[in-house]
Amino acid sequence: MRCRSDGSRRSMAPPLHTLYLLFFFFLRLSTAWRPLPHMKNNLTELEFGGYKKYEGSSEFVKLKYHMGPVLTSNITVHIIWYGTWPSAQKRIIREFINSISSADDHRSPSVSGWWKTVQLYTDQTGSNITRSVRLGQEKNDRLLSHGKTLTRLSIQSVIKSAVTAKTKPLPIHPKGGVYLLLTADDVYVEDFCQNVCGFHYFTFPSIVGYTLPYAWVGNSAKLCPGMCAYPFSVPDYIPGLKPLKSPNGEAAIDGMISVIAHEIAEVASNPLANAWYAGEDPSFPVEIADLCEGIYGTGGGGSYTGQMLNDEDGATYNMHGIRRRFLVQWVWNHVVNYCTGPNALD
């Protein structure tokens, strides 16, 4: 799950052998997914075992800084809505992004409090990840310009179409821009629902013309809500497991929020696969959100999500946005060496 934050050094197409190497890494991406109870078949679990989902300090987690850049410039998230998206669903996602660095969400615990852990990460000059994350321009691709089935590589072609459109193209913003491709509930992306709900990377100049950091997250409502909208939807093969009530009345969208947060945090802290990650192989980076998959509160780890909050309406969440509530997984805090979030009891 990697992207490049500085396009200036990648404005020309790379040599052919470099493209082959990049494409090989591209196919081996470490991807993000929503964790399910007792799931044991993901790559990072195989590498770190049960310690990967450990809320307390762990000597087994060796997160290291590999001297690459992090996103210190103000981040602008440009959204590509691929397929048909109801306005109500768009509003939930927009409001989450606007809440990341908002000074207006005074209710604690807050989304902006969650982002403060991400801000702790620095580059080799000591500069921190930016506090500023804002919503940029948006592009609708209702006619599915590249079809209802996308490969990992064709996702880059969708982004190219958005930034080169004849009418209202998205701005080319290599340094601080993050291009967020969101696919509708009737669109299938390669590996979607096979433990994969989203990933991040960077575009190839040979395809898009620029090196642009991007992330993809899918709407799982029709294809696999039990996988990607957990815990607001649950898989049929686990008898007796009851879904929780989602805070915004849209189980699949509330599930997407945590994956979007996961990807933006990792784009910021490991844009070129040479900054912050655990493990020895940069083609299989275990990043700051990977280390905390499935942890939403104090005591979380393994199949237990941790202590979350419940409102009078029965909805489950762990942080407040500007006007809404959200459930967002924690991220790894390298200062104290464990997963942290704004709703921690300790």
Side-chain angles (χ1 to χ4, degrees), residues 2 10 50 52 67 89 100 114 121 123 150 181-182 187 199 205 237 241-242 271 291-292 300 331:
R2 305 175 294 273
R10 301 287 303 192
K52 178 181 145 314
M67 304 305 289
Q89 295 182 352
I100 292 177
W114 166 82
Y121 290 87
D123 63 14
L150 300 175
L181 175 62
L182 303 177
V187 177
F199 61 78
Y237 61 80
L241 187 63
K242 301 294 183 182
L291 289 165
C292 302
V331 291

Side-chain angles (χ1 to χ4, degrees), residues 2 6 15 29 32 37 48-49 65 83 95-96 122 124 150 183 198 224 246 248 260 262 285 306 338:
R2 305 175 294 273
D6 181 1
L29 281 176
F48 289 100
Y65 176 54
E95 289 187 22
F96 172 73
T122 61
Q124 57 184 302
L150 300 175
T183 50
C224 56
S246 66
N248 296 291
I260 291 170
H262 179 126
Y338 57 79

Side-chain angles (χ1 to χ4, degrees), residues 206-220:
S206 58
I207 297 176
V208 180
Y210 303 88
T211 301
L212 304 173
Y214 74 90
W216 158 75
V217 179
N219 183 339
S220 66

Side-chain angles (χ1 to χ4, degrees), residues 301-320:
S303 61
Y304 177 53
T305 56
Q307 297 190 43
M308 299 175 290
L309 304 173
N310 293 100
D311 252 350
E312 294 178 356
D313 61 359
T316 299
Y317 66 103
N318 65 350
M319 57 190 73
H320 297 276

Side-chain angles (χ1 to χ4, degrees), residues 11 16 33 42 87 91 197 209 227 236 254 276 284 287 307 320 328 330:
S11 59
L16 188 59
W33 58 91
N42 63 66
S87 297
R91 283 195 295 270
C197 301
M227 171 69 69
D236 296 333
D254 279 316
W276 292 94
F284 287 102
E287 300 170 283
Q307 297 190 43
H320 297 276
V328 177
W330 287 7

Side-chain angles (χ1 to χ4, degrees), residues 126-147:
S127 298
N128 292 80
I129 289 175
T130 178
R131 177 189 181 278
S132 177
V133 180
R134 68 181 186 89
L135 184 64
Q137 296 187 32
E138 302 175 34
K139 188 70 177 175
N140 292 298
D141 194 336
R142 299 184 185 90
L143 299 180
L144 303 170
S145 61
H146 294 268

Side-chain angles (χ1 to χ4, degrees), residues 19-225:
L19 280 178
Y20 286 145
L21 183 61
L22 285 172
F23 186 67
F24 174 70
F25 280 173
F26 180 70
L27 292 176
R28 300 177 66 198
L29 281 176
S30 170
T31 49
W33 58 91
R34 297 302 298 275
L36 298 178
H38 313 299
M39 182 168 288
K40 298 294 184 182
N41 58 343
N42 63 66
L43 293 174
T44 50
E45 180 104 348
L46 290 173
E47 182 170 0
F48 289 100
Y51 301 106
K52 178 181 145 314
K53 298 177 180 178
Y54 188 70
E55 186 257 339
S57 176
S58 175
E59 62 185 79
F60 296 94
V61 175
K62 302 296 183 183
L63 186 74
K64 297 179 181 178
Y65 176 54
H66 298 266
M67 304 305 289
V70 301
L71 297 189
T72 58
S73 297
N74 293 347
I75 296 171
T76 303
V77 180
H78 303 292
I79 300 180
I80 302 169
W81 304 99
Y82 193 76
T84 302
W85 285 86
S87 297
Q89 295 182 352
K90 287 183 174 182
R91 283 195 295 270
I92 296 171
I93 293 171
R94 289 186 188 117
E95 289 187 22
F96 172 73
I97 294 172
N98 283 328
S99 295
I100 292 177
S101 58
S102 172
D104 298 327
D105 55 340
H106 300 299
R107 297 185 66 187
S108 180
S110 68
V111 175
S112 60
W114 166 82
W115 186 253
K116 287 180 180 178
T117 299
V118 182
Q119 286 181 256
L120 294 173
Y121 290 87
T122 61
D123 63 14
Q124 57 184 302
T125 71
S127 298
N128 292 80
I129 289 175
T130 178
R131 177 189 181 278
S132 177
V133 180
R134 68 181 186 89
L135 184 64
Q137 296 187 32
E138 302 175 34
K139 188 70 177 175
N140 292 298
D141 194 336
R142 299 184 185 90
L143 299 180
L144 303 170
S145 61
H146 294 268
K148 279 193 172 183
T149 300
L150 300 175
T151 66
R152 291 175 180 262
L153 205 57
S154 67
I155 281 176
Q156 299 203 15
S157 297
V158 175
I159 296 171
K160 179 181 179 179
S161 295
V163 300
T164 60
K166 292 182 179 179
T167 58
K168 298 182 179 180
L170 290 183
I172 303 298
H173 192 187
K175 190 173 183 180
V178 172
Y179 296 78
L180 180 60
L181 175 62
L182 303 177
T183 50
D185 58 9
D186 58 348
V187 177
Y188 177 75
V189 175
E190 182 181 359
D191 296 328
F192 190 28
C193 299
Q194 301 174 23
N195 288 347
V196 177
C197 301
F199 61 78
H200 73 85
Y201 204 62
F202 55 88
T203 62
F204 299 153
S206 58
I207 297 176
V208 180
Y210 303 88
T211 301
L212 304 173
Y214 74 90
W216 158 75
V217 179
N219 183 339
S220 66
K222 293 181 179 178
L223 297 173
C224 56

